[in-house]
Amino acid sequence: MDLLSDLLLGAQTAFSVWNLLYCLLGVFLGTAIGVLPGLGPTATIAMLLPVTFGLAPETALIMLAGIFYGAQYGGSTTAILVNLPGESSSVVTALDGYQMARKGQAGKALATAAIGSFVAGSIATVLIAFFAPMLAEVALVFGPHEYFSLMVLGLAASVVLASGSLLHAVGMILFGLILGLIGTDVNSGEMRYTFGLWSLADGISFVIVAMGVFGLGEILSNLENETERSTVLTKVTGLMPTRNDLKRIAAPVMRGTAIGSVLGILPGGGAMLASFASYAIEKKASKRPQDFGKGAIEGVAGPESANNAGAQTSFIPMLTLGIPSNPVMALMIGALIMQGIQPGPSVIQEQPVLFWGLIVSMWVGNLMLLVLNLPLIGLWVKMISIPYGFLFPAIVAFCAIGVFSLNNATFDIWLMGLFGIAGYVLRKLDCEPAPLLLGFVLGPMLEEHLRRAMLVSRGDATTFVSRPISAVLLILALLLIASILAPQIRAKREEAFQDEE
Amino acid sequence: MFRYVFTAIGSAAVACAMSMPAAAQDYPTKPVTVIVPFAPGGASDTIGRLATQIMQPTFGQPLVVENKPGANGAVGAAELSREAPDGYTIMAASIGTLGINPALQEDLPYDPREDMEILTVAVRTPNALVTRPDIEATTAEELIAALKENPDAMLFASSGTGSSDHLTAELFWQVTGTSGIHVPYKGGGPAQTDLMGGHADASFQNLGAIANFVREGKMKMLALAASERSPDFPDVPTFAELGIEGMEVYSWQAFAAPKGLNPAVKDVLVTSITEALKSPQATEQLQKMGFEVLANSPVEADAFVADEIARWTEVIKAGNISPEG
Amino acid sequence: MQGHRTKDFWAGVVYVTLGLATVILGRDLPMGSAARMGAGYFPTVLGGLLALIGAISAARGLLRPGEAVPRIHIRPMILVIGATFFFAATLEWLGLAVALPIAILITASASSTFRLAPVPVVGLVLFTVFCVLVFVRGLGVPMPMLGTLFGA
């Protein structure tokens, strides 16, 4: 069988001493970078890009890929421990992961994330090996209409994320959508809400909003009750998930992997929907949806698996079509070009060593991450028992440096500070930051695809329902909204009756 | 203890002040920053990094690439124009930053020719007219005929409003007397994807970026906006061969420095950059990426940039394109 | 009845303000039509919706009993956010090695447990060294170690 010889070639490449070493270096660096708040894989890979010029192409790509998925692992660690999501996918992990950590289950949450990610990564790698060329065609089926409908589904799912009032969830999503408008309008090239500042022309980076609203906002509210916090953290229970826990997370991990693998293939922002689509599904599927947002282990397992599976399959459009699905993939294409390889459909045939070596190394890297991270959990848990008075200034410092490194501009630090104030005040008003961030991520894509779809179909809105994939996605979104509203309406009625009593 | 610290800082400051370069012939005496006003991984970044990498061994001082992305290069370019013209800050930027922004944006915080000296136009790559694979037209003439038959119908994808490929499409409509619907995307990648997926009809894209897609049959290439045919695609005619004049459009990358550079310093920079670009190693690698090395002189570069700005100003005016909608 | 002091009411006020600001600031943007939407279409719709949600929330806050807005602690906010502003403002001028420890000290003083003792000061120095080594030296983040004040 061809595949077998291909995989053998890949194994030979991935298991060569140098490639193993660079893979390890990549995942280690990635984890370390991911853990530092604000510093993401994009900035790191950008900085390390010149280092890879001297390496063989496959070695360079293996290391860069290692940094990418290593950073995903590290990012969840920060999200769980200190409620600081470094990218859109870990916003969801922070929701229940941080609550678990506050209950003294940080170890369990981290282990769940690591195990879920490993399982998902392994399955997704197999998927890539078997189906990459076929799956690439799927990416081309999605046009503006399909993407718009997908974003609508994503918006519906983000309402599910809120644990409090539905009204405020919608309000915060709208606020997020509006924040996302800032910058140059893709369709007309016009600058909107930039107040004459050229630094705002490309919009506000997600990391700035997340670090401000989540990170600084959280720190400010923690400072109000410092003594309370330290007592909460003294009782650390079980580092590892129990057999019962493993049973609970098995189905979420599988569902998350499936969702993540599918969405990751779509280059137009599918991967970032993966984690919260998974969260929405788990919350809907759970018998105890009221536990979500208060430390449900399923709420960590599902999205983490989805995220990692999506991260792996997002390599498919890059490797088979030469299309970048996120900034990291764009950098990898840049790295390949510098190596004299033009990414595109011919890479599999012309560069089998590179293609299959990378695929096998992804699995190896995931295994390395598991082995690297499980023993580290004890250390991480100890780290949050550092007195908060020492911990929070360090977090603020990392946030400021990390935010600077996005565009190498101090302007972004100012913005982060402003968002910190906003985050703190909104918290006081019971307005949750998670829907805000998701609205912020989805907003620009929603508008871009809607306006493009209308342009392409010459103003005919019926095309959204006459195209089958788009129609199915819209129906799913409708069903989801109905299922959110139904209990709400019921609760309203009950409330009304209670008021009368 | 504090006194010692202050003394140490003070003497360090004095030492630094004394080591300031006194004369241009010493240049360079400290690291040179190369601003790339785009995110890492793009064409400007690649050119900047490739050139500095080759310059490094003989330059004598480290060349540090700094990415300052934003507003199609305007943020980084504005920063360059504020720097001292001492040769320690230069920039590697694109047609967008130096050729189109000045024509498109009214309140641009820099003027490429007033505030900067163009050191050299490093490389160029022609734009190619490509279509979705299943379009009926098989030649550029057929496409133009179809456009004339159905005005304002065909979808032209571009990598953004005011991008080089948008303006090329605009120019194409103007010189051929046709029209179409401009569909802007966020960067070349998504535009190419939708073209391959058949969601858009045609586009002008950099030859280097789409060469592989054309070879694989994922796109059709109908004509090249170059002065001569590409050796990689000997069957694809240029617009001039088809009798369409004024359709020679290249995307280019150039190096620039703040205005008022000492001539001796400028000379050092220009020589080492152009020599690096012309080295066999760079030429070969750039060719693989679809770039042709130009590495012209500052005088030629300045004239070239002036021509480009004038040309795009005209296209923008004729096409009534403005960022105000 | 807590009336205008409830969270719902004030959240509503915030939404309405933001929503209206979006609409007003975007009033010069071309609206276009549903088929060819202009740059102002989406912002106006979103701003209007947010203002509507805000109005509902404010009304709910006025009509129904709810939790009062908890006290907003101004001092930690000024210190922590002020520290990030200080860092942003002085980074070029002082450099990371000086601006960072000062900013950290300002941040740390927001805590009620803050006091200057030998151990934390040593920790601060080590942390600064760590950041300089990792970010400036290791990762090559283009921020100066010592800023223009020191002639660099």
Side-chain angles (χ1 to χ4, degrees), chain A residues 193-453:
Chain A
Y193 305 100
T194 54
F195 307 100
L197 296 168
W198 287 86
S199 299
L200 282 176
D202 287 354
I204 302 169
S205 159
F206 170 83
V207 178
I208 297 171
V209 184
M211 294 294 127
V213 174
F214 256 88
L216 296 182
E218 174 73 27
I219 284 170
L220 288 174
S221 33
N222 279 339
L223 282 175
E224 290 176 4
N225 36 24
E226 279 172 280
T227 43
E228 252 173 67
R229 190 185 184 278
S230 47
T231 51
V232 167
L233 281 170
T234 43
K235 35 171 189 168
V236 173
T237 55
L239 284 184
M240 288 295 148
T242 59
R243 186 178 289 266
N244 191 25
D245 289 330
L246 289 178
K247 227 180 267 170
R248 276 176 71 189
I249 64 170
V253 166
M254 285 304 146
R255 283 192 287 257
T257 305
I259 297 165
S261 303
V262 172
L263 290 176
I265 302 166
L266 304 172
M272 66 173 75
L273 290 179
S275 58
F276 57 101
S278 161
Y279 189 89
I281 287 185
E282 293 313 322
K283 193 169 174 180
K284 284 283 144 205
S286 170
K287 292 192 190 80
R288 303 180 52 79
Q290 68 273 24
D291 287 353
F292 277 73
K294 298 186 185 90
I297 196 167
E298 293 91 344
V300 176
E304 271 301 296
S305 315
N307 174 32
N308 209 41
Q312 308 281 339
T313 52
S314 64
F315 276 89
I316 293 181
M318 193 272 275
L319 286 171
T320 57
L321 292 173
I323 298 166
S325 43
N326 55 44
V328 175
M329 291 301 146
L331 278 174
M332 295 214 192
I333 290 181
L336 284 178
I337 291 177
M338 290 291 273
Q339 297 272 6
I341 296 171
Q342 184 74 48
S346 54
V347 166
I348 305 181
Q349 277 91 44
E350 285 172 14
Q351 308 280 344
V353 174
L354 176 95
F355 184 80
W356 295 104
L358 178 66
I359 286 177
V360 176
S361 92
M362 281 186 192
W363 185 77
V364 176
N366 269 292
L367 186 65
M368 282 179 180
L369 277 171
L370 189 69
V371 175
L372 197 72
N373 275 279
L374 285 182
L376 275 179
I377 288 174
L379 184 79
W380 292 129
V381 172
K382 275 213 189 68
M383 203 147 143
I384 46 168
S385 53
I386 293 176
Y388 198 60
F390 296 146
L391 196 58
F392 84 87
I395 298 176
V396 174
F398 282 137
C399 285
I401 297 175
V403 160
F404 175 87
S405 74
L406 293 172
N407 292 324
N408 301 325
T410 49
F411 178 81
D412 294 347
I413 308 179
W414 292 95
L415 270 185
M416 178 184 76
L418 292 179
F419 277 108
I421 298 174
Y424 177 63
V425 172
L426 288 172
R427 233 164 258 254
K428 289 281 166 194
L429 300 173
D430 279 355
C431 302
E432 295 169 78
L436 170 102
L437 281 179
L438 295 170
F440 178 72
V441 170
L442 290 174
M445 293 194 284
L446 190 78
E447 184 190 12
E448 188 190 330
H449 291 301
L450 171 65
R451 287 170 65 183
R452 187 175 301 136

Side-chain angles (χ1 to χ4, degrees), chain B residues 129-211:
Chain B
L129 172 60
V130 283
T131 65
R132 64 184 155 89
D134 51 351
I135 205 162
E136 277 166 31
T138 50
T139 62
E141 287 103 328
E142 284 176 32
L143 187 82
I144 292 168
L147 282 171
K148 282 193 173 144
E149 210 168 294
N150 284 312
D152 266 328
M154 218 172 264
L155 306 168
F156 276 74
S158 88
S159 56
T161 297
S163 63
S164 137
D165 36 321
H166 170 204
L167 296 186
T168 313
E170 198 62 50
L171 180 66
F172 171 72
W173 294 332
Q174 288 169 17
V175 296
T176 57
T178 55
S179 60
I181 299 176
H182 171 230
V183 187
Y185 286 78
K186 214 171 179 174
Q192 292 158 18
T193 313
D194 264 15
L195 198 61
M196 286 189 268
H199 307 288
D201 297 314
S203 182
F204 284 91
Q205 293 286 322
N206 291 347
L207 178 62
I210 47 92

Side-chain angles (χ1 to χ4, degrees), chain A residues 46 50 53 137 140-143 186-188 190 198 201-202 321 323 331 337-338 340 342 346 407-408 452 455 458, chain B residues 40 46 49 67-71 75 107 109 153 161 182-185 193 199 212-213 216 218 285 288-289 323-324:
Chain A
F53 296 160
E137 298 300 320
L140 293 182
V141 174
F142 266 65
V186 175
N187 288 64
S188 69
E190 184 160 357
W198 287 86
D202 287 354
L321 292 173
I323 298 166
L331 278 174
I337 291 177
M338 290 291 273
Q342 184 74 48
S346 54
N407 292 324
N408 301 325
R452 187 175 301 136
L455 197 61
R458 285 101 178 156
Chain B
T46 314
R49 286 183 197 276
N67 298 93
K68 300 262 181 189
V75 173
D107 48 353
T161 297
H182 171 230
V183 187
Y185 286 78
T193 313
H199 307 288
N212 265 353
F213 298 135
E216 296 282 331
K218 304 261 180 205
Q285 203 163 351
K288 271 193 204 162
M289 295 159 53
E324 316 307 327

